[in-house]
Amino acid sequence: MTERHIIRPSEANTRDVFEYALLRVVPRVERGECINAGVLVYCRARSYVGARTHLDETRLLALDPDADVAGIRAALGAVEGVCAGGDAAGQAALDDAGRRFRWLIAPRSTVVQPGPVHTGLTLDPTAEAERLLDLLVR
């Protein structure tokens, strides 16, 4: 007999709704090819917004041998900075977590683009960001 995990009411109450979006690198917008390079996670209940990134240079250069790797790394780092808040967030430093997340997921036609937003339940949004990075990016 297999063991099943039953969610007890006290456990269910500790889970919070979260939203996430992938960060995609589209080195040549006209071709529409992309690779996943990060994940944004937002949990309103915990006032959490975070980003985890991982750029696979080999895959990127397979799509575009002339891709600006340093520029793309800088753009991904800027997203992480906005999520972290403080001086690294620039003008967004005074915004709450939700407003920063909404700004980051706004559609744009740049090399680093957000994907669609998805939802789920989590006990720990920081751990969720790592789990999603491992599952969807690495």
Side-chain angles (χ1 to χ4, degrees), residues 7-9 11-20 41-46 118-129 131-132:
I7 297 177
R8 292 172 178 69
E11 246 183 280
N13 291 337
T14 62
R15 292 177 184 255
D16 294 308
V17 173
F18 75 98
E19 299 173 67
Y20 73 94
V41 172
Y42 169 59
C43 181
R44 179 179 176 192
R46 304 214 184 169
H118 306 280
T119 61
L121 294 173
T122 187
L123 294 169
D124 180 356
T126 303
E128 201 65 50
R131 184 187 75 79
L132 290 169

Side-chain angles (χ1 to χ4, degrees), residues 36-108:
N36 294 340
V39 64
L40 293 166
V41 172
Y42 169 59
C43 181
R44 179 179 176 192
R46 304 214 184 169
S47 296
Y48 173 85
V49 64
R52 299 295 181 274
T53 63
H54 172 78
L55 182 60
D56 185 333
E57 287 185 35
T58 303
R59 290 180 67 206
L60 173 62
L61 294 173
L63 290 180
D64 183 3
D66 298 322
D68 179 3
V69 176
I72 293 167
R73 283 199 185 283
L76 292 169
V79 170
E80 290 178 334
V82 169
C83 288
D87 292 338
Q91 290 181 327
L94 300 176
D95 291 338
D96 65 29
R99 191 170 172 131
R100 286 181 297 183
F101 179 73
R102 299 286 171 234
W103 181 76
L104 289 168
I105 62 166
R108 51 187 50 103

